[in-house]
Each structure stands twice: as C-alpha cells, then as structure tokens.
Amino acid sequence: MRLEAITWERLTDALAERAMETKADDGSPWLRIAVDGAPAAHPGVPAEALADALRLRGRSVLVVGTGGFLRPASLRYEYGRHEPDSYYDGWFDTGALWREVLGPVEAGGTGRVLLDLWDPATDRATRSRRVELPPGGVLLVHGPLLLGHWFPFDLTVHLRLSPAALRRRTDESEQWTLPAFERYEREVAPAETADVVVRADDPRHPAWALRQDRKDTP
C-alpha cells in the first residue's frame, strides 16, 4: 500500500467525502465508522474533526470513545495492573459496545445509542441516557484495538504508528501495553484490513492510503 503525504485538514475532508459516498453494507439507514489507533496516536482528535466535517455536510453524527466502555477495575486488574494480554482481551467491554452502541444502528435497529457506560475514574456506571441518531446519521467510534471483533463498521480508519514511534509517543506509565499492540499487529494486521491507513509517526506530517477494492468504490 503506497502512502501519500497529506495535511490533517485535507485528510479530514477526504475522509468526509469518502464517508458521504459510502453506504452501509447491511442496508442500515445509519453509517458506522471506526477510527482505530493506540492512545499514543490520539484517535479521538481526528474522529472529532471528521465528525465536524460531516456535520458541515449536513449529516447528524454521534461520536463514541471506547474509553467509556471499559470493564470494571476488578475485571481489568484481575491478573495484575500491568498485564498486556488482559489489556488486549479484557479491558474493553466489546459485548457492551455491540449491545449498546452498534446493535442499535444495525438494519432494523432503534438508532438509540448509549454514548458511555462506565466511568474509569469513579469505577461506577455513568448512568447516561441514550441518544437517538436519526436515519441517515453517522456513528463514529474511536479507540484502540477496534478491528478484529467483527464489528459492523462500514468504513474503517487505522492510525498507524511504527514500533519505534509507538514506543516513543507512549507515556512511560503505559509502556507495559506495548506487547498488546505487537499482538494486535500479528493477529489482526490492522494496516492490511482497514479501508484507510494513516501513518502518524510524525503528528505534523501524516501520510495516508485508501483501499480501492471495496464493493461500493466508484
């Protein structure tokens, strides 16, 4: 996959145009987009920028961060606080993401999405109310380790960091998670499966590549 240099502003516009041309694979009236990336890549930043660009184009958008769907601390730390395999397999409540976020926007769903479920700071349920996404709206989910779960995303964006960049940009207190991302590369190969890959080693100078083999590509 050949990567081309681009600015974040042009990238956001290109992704928004791509989203406007993309239709849900299952006939759902909602479009579902993933922005996947390690915390060091700050996937929430381009996700929010993309949401703003889509709103300017007349689309309703809900943005959901997977940080609001962590499992309780008793489950996350069952095998220790610095266990990479637990981080990979057990920190994020994928079942709740299916049930509360993605299920409602599948074909025949209600469109009523829960934006968060668990507050990791208080280690308690957030008790947030559901928010309705009207037909034609876009659900945008961002966070790490998003691919490989068979989530029904219609467009996937992966923020790629080389191993050296990931190590350099990950806080010292979070270095223990690095083996989880090595495993993600081996088992999921996100740069090969995502529709859009963005190299973000230097946050000032991204580069990107767009797969051209999707069935809905002109």
Side-chain angles (χ1 to χ4, degrees):
M1 184 178 288
R2 183 170 173 269
L3 294 163
E4 297 183 1
I6 195 170
T7 65
W8 285 110
E9 292 80 5
R10 287 175 50 220
L11 174 63
T12 298
D13 284 339
L15 290 176
E17 290 302 318
R18 174 71 171 182
M20 295 294 288
E21 297 170 357
T22 301
K23 298 186 183 301
D25 289 335
D26 63 355
S28 167
W30 301 281
L31 188 70
R32 298 145 302 192
I33 301 176
V35 179
D36 170 67
H42 303 290
V45 176
E48 292 288 356
L50 176 56
D52 288 341
L54 288 169
R55 292 183 184 113
L56 287 174
R57 289 164 171 79
R59 303 294 287 271
S60 296
V61 185
L62 289 180
V63 180
V64 176
T66 58
F69 286 85
L70 291 176
R71 289 194 168 98
S74 60
L75 298 177
R76 299 199 310 274
Y77 302 142
E78 182 178 4
Y79 300 103
R81 288 181 172 267
H82 301 132
E83 171 47 55
D85 286 334
S86 291
Y87 179 77
Y88 184 88
D89 290 319
W91 270 48
F92 297 95
D93 194 340
T94 54
L97 283 167
W98 269 104
R99 183 179 67 252
E100 309 292 355
V101 179
L102 291 157
V105 292
E106 289 189 292
T110 65
R112 293 176 57 79
V113 174
L114 194 64
L115 300 184
D116 54 55
L117 181 64
W118 198 260
D119 184 342
T122 63
D123 201 33
R124 291 192 176 101
T126 58
R127 302 189 184 280
S128 297
R129 295 185 176 183
R130 294 180 183 276
V131 179
E132 186 166 353
L133 183 64
V138 179
L139 173 71
L140 211 161
V141 182
H142 64 83
L145 311 173
L146 265 177
L147 308 183
H149 298 289
W150 298 99
F151 288 144
F153 292 119
D154 305 299
L155 180 63
T156 54
V157 180
H158 173 63
L159 304 180
R160 183 182 182 277
L161 294 177
S162 68
L166 178 61
R167 189 176 305 108
R168 182 176 67 251
R169 293 177 58 185
T170 298
D171 289 342
E172 185 67 30
S173 62
E174 303 297 324
Q175 291 278 318
W176 64 271
T177 65
L178 296 181
F181 291 103
E182 293 173 7
R183 181 179 168 188
Y184 189 50
E185 290 290 332
R186 291 195 308 271
E187 297 185 2
V188 177
E192 297 174 19
T193 58
D195 299 308
V196 179
V197 176
V198 180
R199 186 181 65 202
D201 285 4
D202 183 342
R204 299 165 300 175
H205 302 293
W208 80 314
L210 172 67
R211 280 178 53 192
Q212 296 293 336
D213 56 351
R214 283 182 61 89
K215 64 183 180 182
D216 57 348
T217 300

